[in-house]
Amino acid sequence: MSLVFEEIRLNLPHIEVAAHLYGPEQGRPVIALHGWLDNAASFSRLAPLLEGVRIVALDLPGHGHSAHRPAGAAYNIWDYAHDVLQVAEQLGWQRFTLLGHSMGAIVSVLLAGAMPERVERLALIDGVIPYTGEADTAPQKLGESLRALLEVDERRKPVYTSFDEAVSARMKGVGAVSREAAERLAQRGLMPVPGGLTWRTDARLMLPSPMRLTRAHALAFVDRVECPVSLVLAEQGLMTEPPIRGLVDRFPFERHRLPGGHHLHLDDEQGAQAVASVFNAFLDR
């Protein structure tokens, strides 16, 4: 992998985060947010292809080289919006663009809906709103989460005897990826432990959510987005089911359906080039 980025660390008021920094210092400010269980390497193909932008590709807390949340703290998806806002504050960016993939795209929409005065544009890849839940399922979901919290143990994370074994496992994970994509994520995401290698990710990230937004809640954030939005949808991605497609088609966003899987921006150079072509035209307007 070509080293075209600078590695940085940001000491936020509540946590330390790591990031990859791409592009000219005077470029348009962009904060890039990866998907669940991924890391900043998710943008290692795409970011160098984007023109005239200064990209801070974060390891979100609990992922990659960023710190884990303290004991007793949770990984609610809306908490990431606070992390991103604190990054922007530290960088002195009052207005910025958000580039988000999957969970990162969802966080981007939440922040843009909650604080539209801060977000200039949204460039989203195969994600818009979180999985939702209605009121009648809330007690059951909270109970499942509380029981899982009692049992969580970092020592139960899988240990791989080799880098190749870890890569093969990641290729088959949620949002399956190509071998090269898995290698890029693994190079940043693995750490040595007795017996081999394991993921740096916080084990609590695998716990069930204690509470989910209702669909009405989620759509209210979409309705509150005021900035231009460009949404790339992968033809073999995670948003292909008819009910989801029908919902997405009602969003007032610019939409582009491109061939490839959920990680089309990372799986191969062709996919990265296709996504870059869409976003370069969008960001240059």
Side-chain angles (χ1 to χ4, degrees), residues 46 49 232 256 258-259 264-265 268-280:
L46 177 62
L49 302 177
V232 166
H256 303 266
L258 299 179
L264 74 167
H265 64 298
D268 55 46
E269 196 62 25
Q270 183 178 356
Q273 290 280 359
V275 175
S277 178
V278 168
F279 286 160
N280 277 327

Side-chain angles (χ1 to χ4, degrees), residues 74-106:
Y75 285 94
N76 298 313
I77 194 164
W78 44 83
D79 292 327
Y80 290 124
H82 176 242
D83 300 323
V84 175
L85 194 60
Q86 287 288 1
V87 168
E89 289 289 292
Q90 185 161 129
L91 295 170
W93 291 355
Q94 286 303 303
R95 293 271 291 172
F96 49 89
T97 290
L98 290 170
L99 165 61
H101 169 243
S102 192
M103 183 185 77
I106 295 165

Side-chain angles (χ1 to χ4, degrees), residues 230-234 254-258 278-279 282 285:
S230 182
L231 170 61
V232 166
L233 294 161
E254 170 188 305
R255 292 180 298 278
H256 303 266
R257 298 191 186 275
L258 299 179
V278 168
F279 286 160
F282 172 67
R285 288 178 202 153

Side-chain angles (χ1 to χ4, degrees), residues 107-127:
V107 174
S108 298
V109 171
L110 293 179
L111 181 53
M115 300 189 72
E117 72 278 7
R118 297 298 296 271
V119 181
E120 189 171 72
R121 288 174 184 266
L122 292 180
L124 309 177
I125 304 170
D126 221 40

Side-chain angles (χ1 to χ4, degrees), residues 205-224:
L205 289 166
M206 275 72 83
L207 297 180
S209 300
M211 200 69 63
R212 288 182 172 176
L213 299 178
T214 67
R215 175 167 285 198
H217 280 132
L219 295 180
F221 283 93
V222 173
D223 291 341
R224 281 269 295 171

Side-chain angles (χ1 to χ4, degrees), residues 1 4 7 41 74 77 93 103 117 121 131 142 160 171 174 177 184 190-191 238 249 254 260 267 275 283:
M1 180 169 54
V4 295
E7 179 86 30
I77 194 164
W93 291 355
M103 183 185 77
E117 72 278 7
R121 288 174 184 266
Y131 290 114
L142 180 57
Y160 306 99
M171 289 174 66
V174 176
V177 297
R184 289 174 180 241
L190 291 172
M191 65 179 183
L238 299 184
D249 286 343
E254 170 188 305
D267 277 335
V275 175
L283 296 172

